[in-house]
Amino acid sequence: MNSLAPNTLRIVARKPRCVHRHFSKGTGTDLSTIVTGVPTGAFQMNKYAFGCPDTKEAAIVDCGAEASHELDHFKNWLSSKGFTVTKILQTHAHLDHVLGIPNAIAEWPETPVHIHSLERNNWDECMLRAKQYGLSPENESLPDWDDDKAIQVVLLDNEEDVKVGNLKLDVIFTPGHAPGHVCFYNDEHKFMFGGDLLFQGSIGRTDLPYCSSEDMDLSLRKIFNMLSDDVLVLSGHGQPTTIGNERKSNPFVAQALGSG
């Protein structure tokens, strides 16, 4: 869910706009040829699609589009590139990131969902949280992990890399905002799907059930020690940023790095 600043969630309604226009880093590959993203749902969670031009395999990253029409942008983009979805990748299972899972599975049947096992509680309690926020999603429930006919779950517990065609995503375990939160990093093009770990000028909340501020600090130190300043961060909310920009100007990052 949204960032620490402010600490209460704001439900906003505005026309979705593509964030992939900001994906070009000025050098190397224009990432808009392999990545697209649109804010979706009541919490304007950035849902992404990522594809390999060589093999035409693609993945959806964070299925937060709870309304079926919010898939239209992705279906059109995938079709224009000739991509076929073969994986669904989840950074975590807060409601704004998973309410669109049933629609995604209906659109791309038998597509495996890659997620960390520590997100089981968030997944199972998703609809309860939706009701608490006054939401009425199209789907009344998420698929049961134990029902192999309803969903194919691939656990990310070992931090093994994920291949989307010829493109590799390193799975980085980054708990704090959620107990099984992970990021997906592509070293070839120097970008990371950051989920709700890191935002432009802020970080993910740690006052929700199963969150941990201590784990968040450890995860931030892990990421900032691991990645170079030129890495582009495609966040779960707001505009893309870079590791370098957040190292220089993000007060929450400065606090975390200073507490190490």
Side-chain angles (χ1 to χ4, degrees):
M1 291 188 181
N2 224 330
S3 62
L4 277 172
N7 205 27
T8 56
L9 287 170
R10 293 180 298 166
I11 299 178
V12 296
R14 61 178 183 267
K15 184 178 180 181
R17 55 191 171 85
C18 300
V19 294
H20 66 69
R21 296 171 186 167
H22 303 274
F23 288 177
S24 178
K25 297 166 62 179
T27 60
T29 303
D30 177 2
L31 294 183
S32 65
T33 64
I34 59 173
V35 182
T36 188
V38 170
T40 61
F43 298 100
Q44 293 290 277
M45 193 283 305
N46 290 331
K47 176 176 180 173
Y48 297 99
F50 168 62
C52 173
D54 297 330
T55 67
K56 300 301 182 181
E57 294 180 54
I60 299 295
V61 182
D62 284 337
C63 286
E66 63 255 35
S68 55
H69 68 82
E70 292 181 295
L71 286 179
D72 290 346
H73 167 79
F74 297 95
K75 291 191 292 185
N76 292 337
W77 184 81
L78 291 161
S79 176
S80 72
K81 303 291 185 183
F83 289 151
T84 299
V85 173
T86 59
K87 292 178 175 69
I88 294 171
L89 309 178
Q90 292 295 138
T91 61
H92 63 297
H94 282 158
L95 66 94
D96 52 334
H97 289 251
V98 298
L99 281 177
I101 288 282
N103 291 331
I105 292 177
E107 181 65 31
W108 301 290
E110 300 182 2
T111 301
V113 177
H114 297 243
I115 190 169
H116 199 284
S117 66
L118 291 177
E119 286 305 287
R120 181 66 184 263
N121 286 339
N122 278 326
W123 180 285
D124 289 345
E125 297 171 11
C126 172
M127 291 305 170
L128 172 63
R129 306 297 176 204
K131 290 180 180 179
Q132 290 174 340
Y133 285 109
L135 301 179
S136 300
E138 286 183 3
N139 303 286
E140 296 182 354
S141 64
L142 294 182
D144 184 346
W145 281 19
D146 297 324
D147 184 352
D148 293 339
K149 294 182 180 179
I151 187 172
Q152 298 179 35
V153 175
V154 178
L155 298 180
L156 299 173
D157 295 18
N158 295 325
E159 290 189 272
E160 295 178 357
D161 59 71
V162 174
K163 291 286 188 66
V164 180
N166 295 331
L167 298 175
K168 186 180 78 167
L169 293 172
D170 296 327
V171 178
I172 308 172
F173 183 50
T174 52
H177 177 69
H181 192 289
V182 300
C183 297
F184 300 100
Y185 171 63
N186 177 258
D187 187 61
E188 179 182 358
H189 299 299
K190 299 292 183 185
F191 75 91
M192 179 179 73
F193 295 112
D196 287 2
L197 173 71
L198 179 67
F199 304 122
Q200 189 178 79
S202 192
I203 60 174
R205 295 175 58 171
T206 57
D207 61 337
L208 298 167
Y210 313 117
C211 290
S212 167
S213 58
E214 292 81 7
D215 285 347
M216 174 63 84
D217 284 349
L218 290 172
S219 293
L220 288 169
R221 292 200 290 273
K222 179 179 182 178
I223 287 294
F224 279 84
N225 287 331
M226 179 184 297
L227 302 180
S228 58
D229 283 356
D230 61 340
V231 170
L232 185 70
V233 180
L234 305 181
S235 302
H237 300 270
Q239 291 298 321
T241 185
T242 65
I243 292 293
N245 285 343
E246 300 313 304
R247 192 190 304 274
K248 292 176 183 177
S249 61
N250 190 318
F252 302 100
V253 170
Q255 181 178 353
L257 298 183
S259 63

